[in-house]
Amino acid sequence: MKAILLLAFGGPRSLDEVEPFLTRLFRGRKPSPEQLERVKERYRLIGGFSPLPEITLKQAKALENSLHSKGYPFKSYVGMRYGQPLIEETLREIIRDGIQEVIAIPMAPFRSRASTGAYIEEVKQAQERLEGKMEISFIEGWHLHPLFLGAIQEKIEEGLRPFTPEERKRVHSIFSAHSLPKSLVENEFYVKDMEASVREVLKRIEPLPWHIAFQSRGMGPEEWLGPDVEFILTELSHQKVREVLIIPIGFVSDHIEVLYDIDIFYREKAESMGMVLRRSPSLNYSERFIEALTAIVEEHIHNSSPSPLMGEGRGEGG
């Protein structure tokens, strides 16, 4: 039996978890009452919680079942950087279950120290603090996998469907990813990975005007990646563009940056300028995305191990 570990950002599962979630995010500093109430209000507007933890658990279980169907004996786990279950707690669980070999996947398609690198570093630090021994390998850089690109294509087609045939001829697409401080991504793959993914996706869909933008930038004096989505929307409004589709290619799950930033904030901004803004659905645990993750794990197994796992027998849940 081996472990497949999905690593995700995390999110509060209730309004009561917003404060501890932000405190971990702020590295032990509690949010001000104003910050806390502002963030709580955003979670109220999307249902009072983040769906990301539950979605990630469903992604993990679907991936486990898919791997079992191919004869790979994996048990799935989820570890979060800022929400429950925390990464170190999950590693302890894996040790208690007697599993010594782990394949970990940061649930972020584009590589950087601030995203995939931070997950990997946290896993390594937690591993050093734990007594149990385990061998952990990581999967990164799956942004150009054909099945991942196919899953994105499917969601774009879903997002375009509500537009009328005439509107579709006028739609501008905005591919978005989380903004990061420029100082963290200099000489890194993050922007190049995103641009490469977008180029390959564009080969698979009908021609339409497109833009790359960044969203959900943090506070602080640093210079962040741009242009941001709001800037692009304003520019398109000046060009009399009225139909826009946002494609959150940098995210694989619904969470506050999708459900609030895009579905509420950017949509209201677009409507105020006389535009119709729609969004392509998130990948979540769609069948095509799980197929992509399965293939990515399978290729990792064959590339990193001289002997395939076939024939070792199925584990729990198989």
Side-chain angles (χ1 to χ4, degrees):
M1 175 67 68
K2 297 173 175 61
I4 189 78
L5 171 61
L6 271 56
L7 302 168
F9 193 85
R13 297 169 297 182
S14 68
L15 292 178
D16 289 339
E17 287 192 2
V18 172
E19 184 172 1
F21 171 75
L22 291 177
T23 301
R24 281 191 289 270
L25 187 61
F26 297 162
R27 299 184 180 182
R29 177 178 61 82
K30 285 194 173 187
S32 68
E34 295 77 16
Q35 285 176 316
L36 180 59
E37 186 53 37
R38 184 170 63 249
V39 175
K40 275 190 173 183
E41 179 58 21
R42 293 180 180 182
Y43 279 107
R44 287 190 190 101
L45 290 170
I46 66 168
F49 63 95
S50 170
L52 186 143
E54 183 64 23
I55 289 170
T56 309
L57 286 169
K58 289 182 177 180
Q59 288 170 334
K61 190 62 180 178
L63 177 57
E64 174 188 302
N65 290 338
S66 179
L67 289 167
H68 282 182
S69 73
K70 292 178 174 289
Y72 295 92
F74 278 94
K75 183 176 181 181
S76 63
Y77 299 84
V78 166
M80 306 283 183
R81 286 193 69 197
Y82 300 110
Q84 299 294 335
L86 293 169
I87 288 173
E88 185 166 338
E89 295 171 359
T90 299
L91 291 180
R92 291 182 188 277
E93 181 184 357
I94 293 172
I95 290 171
R96 287 196 299 269
D97 289 345
I99 299 175
Q100 296 182 330
E101 188 172 333
V102 181
I103 294 177
I105 313 175
M107 297 302 286
F110 310 138
R111 296 165 292 175
S112 81
R113 284 177 296 162
S115 58
T116 53
Y119 291 116
I120 292 170
E121 183 61 28
E122 184 146 344
V123 168
K124 290 179 177 178
Q125 290 179 2
Q127 188 180 10
E128 290 175 359
R129 292 190 292 267
L130 299 175
E131 294 181 1
K133 293 183 178 180
M134 65 177 75
E135 179 183 334
I136 304 178
S137 61
F138 298 90
I139 299 178
E140 291 184 278
W142 37 272
H143 59 288
L144 291 179
H145 194 281
L147 295 182
F148 170 69
L149 299 172
I152 295 290
Q153 174 192 354
E154 178 183 70
K155 294 305 178 184
I156 293 173
E157 291 168 353
E158 288 181 33
L160 287 170
R161 222 165 277 152
F163 291 105
T164 67
E166 282 303 309
E167 288 173 336
R168 286 181 70 150
K169 297 175 183 177
R170 303 191 297 263
V171 170
H172 280 240
S173 64
I174 301 175
F175 291 87
S176 74
H178 206 299
S179 186
L180 293 171
K182 282 189 173 181
S183 61
L184 291 182
V185 295
E186 287 177 342
N187 304 316
E188 289 204 353
F189 293 108
Y190 188 75
V191 176
K192 293 179 181 178
D193 283 358
M194 181 184 181
E195 292 173 342
S197 278
V198 170
R199 284 196 302 269
E200 291 303 313
V201 168
L202 289 168
K203 295 176 182 178
R204 295 166 171 258
I205 62 175
E206 61 186 83
L208 73 171
W210 59 277
H211 313 266
I212 284 178
F214 298 90
Q215 63 169 89
S216 313
R217 59 163 289 171
M219 305 298 290
E222 309 105 314
E223 186 177 2
W224 290 67
L225 288 173
D228 62 30
V229 170
E230 191 171 358
F231 175 84
I232 296 293
L233 289 175
T234 302
E235 289 294 299
L236 293 178
S237 175
H238 292 161
Q239 298 168 27
K240 308 301 182 185
V241 172
R242 290 295 175 261
E243 292 83 14
V244 176
L245 179 71
I246 293 187
I247 303 157
I249 194 171
F251 305 113
V252 300
S253 302
D254 283 331
H255 59 309
I256 197 165
E257 279 86 357
V258 172
L259 301 180
Y260 176 80
D261 291 0
I262 298 177
D263 291 356
I264 297 176
F265 180 76
Y266 293 139
R267 181 167 289 156
E268 289 179 354
K269 176 73 174 179
E271 289 175 354
S272 73
M273 296 185 289
M275 306 167 78
V276 174
L277 184 150
R278 304 189 191 279
R279 170 176 65 84
S280 63
S282 299
L283 294 173
N284 292 335
Y285 39 88
S286 68
E287 183 176 345
R288 293 195 72 177
F289 183 48
I290 298 304
E291 287 175 0
L293 289 177
T294 303
I296 289 164
V297 172
E298 194 169 12
E299 289 165 18
H300 176 80
I301 291 168
H302 290 294
N303 290 336
S304 61
S305 173
S307 57
L309 302 179
M310 293 288 193
E312 292 189 13
R314 298 188 180 186
E316 297 174 11

